[in-house]
Amino acid sequence: MQLCKYCNTIMHGEFETLKDKSYMFFYTCPKCKSIYEGKAKTIKKETKVIKSRWYNSKEQRFEDINNY
């Protein structure tokens, strides 16, 4: 479950498993239409976000690009 950082609404998510056992995620907010996307990997039952970014629908731009 992912909460929208702009309006605190539960987001809808989709996932794609990759060959290296990591996965891409894509969440959309039904209320404010913001997007959260990125790549993550689960190691020993702990999920680590490798890279991610948020799309602010009010400003119509991506922000907070995180690369680890």
Side-chain angles (χ1 to χ4, degrees), residues 12-24:
H12 299 246
E14 292 187 25
F15 305 91
E16 176 186 0
T17 304
L18 305 173
K19 290 181 182 180
D20 65 353
K21 297 184 182 177
S22 63
Y23 62 92
M24 302 294 291

Side-chain angles (χ1 to χ4, degrees), residues 41-57:
K41 189 167 189 170
T42 303
I43 301 171
K44 296 182 182 178
K45 297 183 182 180
E46 183 178 331
T47 300
K48 173 152 177 105
V49 175
I50 299 167
K51 62 181 178 178
S52 66
R53 64 183 183 169
W54 283 90
Y55 179 76
N56 185 336
S57 61

Side-chain angles (χ1 to χ4, degrees), residues 22-37:
S22 63
Y23 62 92
M24 302 294 291
F25 60 87
F26 184 82
Y27 289 98
T28 57
C29 179
K31 185 175 180 182
C32 73
K33 308 302 182 214
S34 294
I35 299 169
Y36 179 50
E37 65 179 16

